[in-house]
Each structure stands twice: as structure tokens, then as C-alpha cells.
Amino acid sequence: SGHIRGYTPRKLGYAAFERGGMTIDELKSLITMGYPVIVLVTWHFRVAVGYNSTHITFQDSLRGPMYNKTYSAFDTEWDYSGHWGLFICPWHVEVSNVRNVLPGDVFDVTATVTYPCPPPFPQDQYPATVVNATIALPDGLCLAPSEIAKKTVTGYLTAGDSANVTWTVQATNLGKHLISVEADGKVNGFVPPLPNYPEYSYEDRIGGVSQSLVVVTSSLDESPPTTND
């Protein structure tokens, strides 16, 4: 989403939102949350990655990494685009399950899929449709009978919302096993015409992936720990 002319999406793209009229405080809030933000200054893109009391720090293809600009100087350059910013982030996928099981045990694996959209970006801009989650199991684990690997999470997922999906899994072999879950959806958009470039519509596949660990052991340690002061 937030499609850029000339950009070819990868197999699994990131959620992206653009907004004009951003304030420096909003930009700093996004950086504090750990999100780099692409900003458009005078005929040039930079990635805002940090700040202190007097400067904002950028990754800049022209000026180099860790390029610092005072607030007032950056604010003047940012006026060129009307304080435009682009937020890009994969979906957040959190996989949860029990940590230790015995061979033959049956347990649940739950994935919480979140479509990130921090303020000030609009939540109604790019709802995702055909939202699925797919589990990948290594040797030593298998899906319970009648389970399927790929499940529909929801008919659509609005930016900022979350959804859960659960699988029933059985342990078969001893060892440490990584469980992977990939979630994805589709977003649609429209790019208006520009001089020498026609208008067009597009569809992007966006999502995220995560893993969780389970240990299949021959015996479970159920004794509470003992500590001495």
C-alpha cells in the first residue's frame, strides 16, 4: 500500500501509509516507537531515524549515514513537500504456544496478526482483504488430523486491528523445533497520472512472518525452582 511509482513489490511487501502535513512532534513520536520514516525535502528523500534536543538524524543517500539537521533547517526543507512522510512496516505476527511437551502431546499454536498503523496515519486508507495465515512445521511436529496449514484469518483486516488464528499440533520427535507462521493479505490502490506517466491501479501482497520455539523432551521438569537469599 502507499504505492510508489516504479516500485515493484517483493514476494511479501510491507504495509505503507503516507501523509502530508505531519508535524515534527509526530515524526519524533514515530521514531521513538522504533519506526523510521521516509520524508521528502527539497527534491530529495531522506529516512528519519533519530533525534536529540537540537537535531534530527537521517540516513541520506546524498549526505551519507547519520546525517544531522537542526529542527529549523529541516522544517524549512520539509516545507517543499508540505511535510510529507511515508511509514513502512511489516505486519506484526506473534506466535504463542507451550514451551515444553512430551512425544505424542497435542497442543495449540496461536498467531496474533496485527496490521500496524500508528498515528497520525489514517486507519481507513488501505484495508486488507483475503487475509490468511500459514503455519510451517519442522520434522518432529505435525498438524493434528483434520487440521490445515493455511487458514483464513478474516475476510478483511483494517489497519490498526488484530486477528487470531489457532492450529492444533502434535509432537512426534524429541528436539528443539521452530514453528513459523506467515500472515498475508492484499491491498488495492490507485496512482493518479503525472506528466509523461499514465494513471494505473495496483494490487500489493503485504504481511509478516514470525517464529516460536517448542522443546519436545523425554520428561517434563515440573518441580518449582528453589532459591536462597
Side-chain angles (χ1 to χ4, degrees):
S1 58
H3 205 262
I4 301 174
R5 188 181 297 274
Y7 165 71
T8 301
R10 297 184 299 172
K11 178 183 176 183
L12 190 64
Y14 293 169
F17 297 91
E18 58 181 311
R19 183 179 185 271
M22 288 181 61
T23 67
I24 288 182
D25 284 342
E26 289 171 338
L27 180 62
K28 289 167 61 178
S29 177
L30 289 164
I31 295 172
T32 300
M33 288 187 283
Y35 296 124
V37 181
I38 299 173
V39 295
L40 177 58
V41 295
T42 309
W43 294 101
H44 186 60
F45 289 99
R46 292 190 185 122
V47 184
V49 296
Y51 66 90
N52 60 21
S53 59
T54 58
H55 293 77
I56 294 183
T57 302
F58 301 92
Q59 298 290 339
D60 192 303
S61 59
L62 180 64
R63 304 290 184 178
M66 306 305 291
Y67 173 65
N68 292 315
K69 201 78 175 177
T70 64
Y71 287 104
S72 59
F74 166 63
D75 196 48
T76 299
E77 290 185 337
W78 206 14
D79 286 341
Y80 166 80
S81 67
H83 287 209
W84 179 90
L86 176 67
F87 160 83
I88 300 175
C89 181
W91 283 3
H92 297 157
V93 181
E94 183 178 355
V95 185
S96 59
N97 52 266
V98 294
R99 293 306 181 199
N100 297 276
V101 295
L102 297 171
D105 280 354
V106 175
F107 60 96
D108 286 341
V109 176
T110 299
T112 301
V113 180
T114 302
Y115 186 168
C117 183
F121 300 100
Q123 291 185 286
D124 60 351
Q125 192 171 14
Y126 293 106
T129 60
V130 195
V131 180
N132 298 301
T134 304
I135 191 171
L137 299 174
D139 292 337
L141 303 175
C142 65
L143 290 172
S146 76
E147 277 281 17
I148 57 174
K150 184 176 183 178
K151 293 187 175 183
T152 299
V153 178
T154 179
Y156 69 93
L157 190 63
T158 302
D161 287 346
S162 299
N164 295 324
V165 60
T166 298
W167 296 266
T168 302
V169 174
Q170 185 170 24
T172 57
N173 296 332
L174 298 176
K176 297 180 179 180
H177 305 298
L178 279 177
I179 301 168
S180 296
V181 175
E182 180 180 285
D184 68 275
K186 292 183 179 180
V187 293
N188 298 276
F190 170 77
V191 175
L194 292 173
N196 302 320
Y197 291 97
E199 64 185 45
Y200 65 90
S201 299
Y202 64 86
E203 180 181 84
D204 280 348
R205 178 173 177 258
I206 61 175
V209 63
S210 188
Q211 294 180 321
S212 182
L213 178 70
V214 63
V215 179
V216 183
T217 181
S218 58
S219 62
L220 297 181
D221 179 6
E222 299 179 344
S223 300
T226 300
T227 60
N228 295 311
D229 186 355

